Amino acid sequence: MTSDERGELAADLLERARYFSTLTDLGLPLTEVGIATDVRPTVGSGTSTGTSTNTSTDERTETETPARYSERKVPVASTIERSGSGETLEAIRADIGDCQRCALAAGRKTIVFGQGNPKARLMFVGEAPGADEDEQGLAFVGKAGQLLTKIIEAIGMKREDVFIANVLKCRPPGNRNPEPDEIIQCQPFLERQIDSIQPEVLVGLGKFGAHWLLKTAEPITRLRGRLGAYKGIKVMPTYHPAYLLRNPGAKKEVWEDMKVVRDLLAR
């Protein structure tokens, strides 16, 4: 990485950190805690859990070794007892109405609320609807959605068993990244969806899904595979299926993440 690239990355992280700090009034307080990382023991321990290393070699320093918990401190949502809001998904959707709360309303075709089992044990949170989703009003129905279906089936579940939603309910023009004000306007509705469903495990798909759930701006390349928490619910950050379409070599890492999710649900 060149010095210019490092400078751009540092500036981007600083901007995201400032932005996510504004979400705490609507979201959850930040708590500095260790996040679960690689579940494989260090070399020479004599035991194995069957999962692979969650951080690539080139992302570690030469002195780092796999550990059960990262020494890095990452802001995550405080762990609290889950009791459920008692609010139905239908009531939340009705409250959204023909939403005009941000500028995305002018360019969207449909509001993509999300779909699936209202009592799902597993919930996926992505970034925003794409063109296919905007047309059909359903989350993850394009090529990335087809790949997500395969991922879900690979852990022995069906799409109708889970719930799938996005940080944004409307498609950003040109599939650009979500803007801070757009996320803030949508945030209460996603919070209420999670409170209503009360899943046992949340999967943050890509940086925006993971950042929203964990209230951090750490790069997804460092977050993925490291368990966190949102309101006492286990959170597994992993790569977005759209990223896998461009980088099929990363499918192996996502599979390792999803095996952890499968094991959590098997308990």
Side-chain angles (χ1 to χ4, degrees):
M1 180 181 292
T2 66
S3 58
D4 288 344
E5 289 174 334
R6 284 196 296 269
E8 291 177 1
L9 176 60
D12 180 68
L13 291 176
L14 179 59
E15 180 182 354
R16 292 185 185 280
R18 288 172 176 165
Y19 155 53
F20 276 99
S21 69
T22 68
L23 298 186
T24 55
D25 288 338
L26 289 174
L28 295 169
L30 297 179
T31 303
E32 293 288 323
V33 300
I35 287 186
T37 178
D38 188 15
V39 294
R40 189 174 63 182
T42 56
V43 176
S45 65
T47 60
S48 174
T49 61
T51 57
S52 69
T53 302
N54 286 322
T55 307
S56 61
T57 302
D58 60 357
E59 290 172 348
R60 292 197 184 98
T61 66
E62 293 181 356
T63 58
E64 282 185 296
T65 57
R68 179 62 183 88
Y69 287 94
S70 171
E71 293 181 358
R72 293 186 294 270
K73 299 298 183 180
V74 181
V76 300
S78 300
T79 301
I80 61 176
E81 184 178 352
R82 297 186 288 128
S83 58
S85 66
E87 185 177 29
T88 66
L89 293 175
E90 290 80 5
I92 300 168
R93 179 62 186 90
D95 193 22
I96 293 175
D98 182 25
C99 186
Q100 303 291 319
R101 294 171 178 85
C102 77
L104 291 180
R108 69 154 189 258
K109 290 186 178 179
T110 56
I111 293 173
V112 182
F113 180 73
Q115 75 279 348
N117 185 346
K119 298 298 180 184
R121 299 176 64 208
L122 175 60
M123 180 173 177
F124 292 86
V125 176
E127 178 180 321
D132 293 315
E133 291 76 15
D134 189 41
E135 287 283 348
Q136 300 183 42
L138 297 171
F140 282 87
V141 291
K143 291 183 178 179
Q146 294 168 17
L147 180 53
L148 179 59
T149 298
K150 294 180 180 179
I151 292 171
I152 294 169
E153 292 174 346
I155 60 170
M157 302 182 75
K158 299 178 181 178
R159 275 186 69 119
E160 54 264 36
D161 297 330
V162 308
F163 196 92
I164 306 172
N166 284 299
V167 172
L168 296 187
K169 307 301 183 193
C170 299
R171 181 194 181 195
N175 290 341
R176 63 157 171 74
N177 288 339
E179 295 289 344
D181 64 307
E182 297 161 357
I183 294 178
I184 290 172
Q185 292 300 329
C186 268
Q187 174 159 317
F189 299 111
L190 181 53
E191 288 178 337
R192 289 162 62 186
Q193 283 178 296
I194 296 173
D195 287 344
S196 174
I197 297 166
Q198 286 294 291
E200 295 175 29
V201 181
L202 285 156
V203 175
L205 296 172
K207 64 181 180 182
F208 283 97
H211 286 178
W212 190 95
L213 289 167
L214 297 176
K215 300 297 183 286
T216 180
E218 189 169 1
I220 186 63
T221 53
R222 294 180 66 84
L223 280 177
R224 65 139 296 271
R226 295 162 52 192
L227 283 173
Y230 172 91
K231 287 189 174 181
I233 304 171
K234 297 290 187 182
V235 174
M236 173 58 78
T238 195
Y239 293 131
H240 196 286
Y243 175 81
L244 300 182
L245 294 175
R246 302 189 300 271
N247 302 274
K251 290 180 179 179
K252 181 179 179 180
E253 293 172 290
V254 172
W255 174 233
E256 295 300 330
D257 300 341
M258 294 307 299
K259 285 194 293 185
V260 174
V261 170
R262 180 190 61 190
D263 292 345
L264 287 171
L265 294 172
R267 293 178 181 177

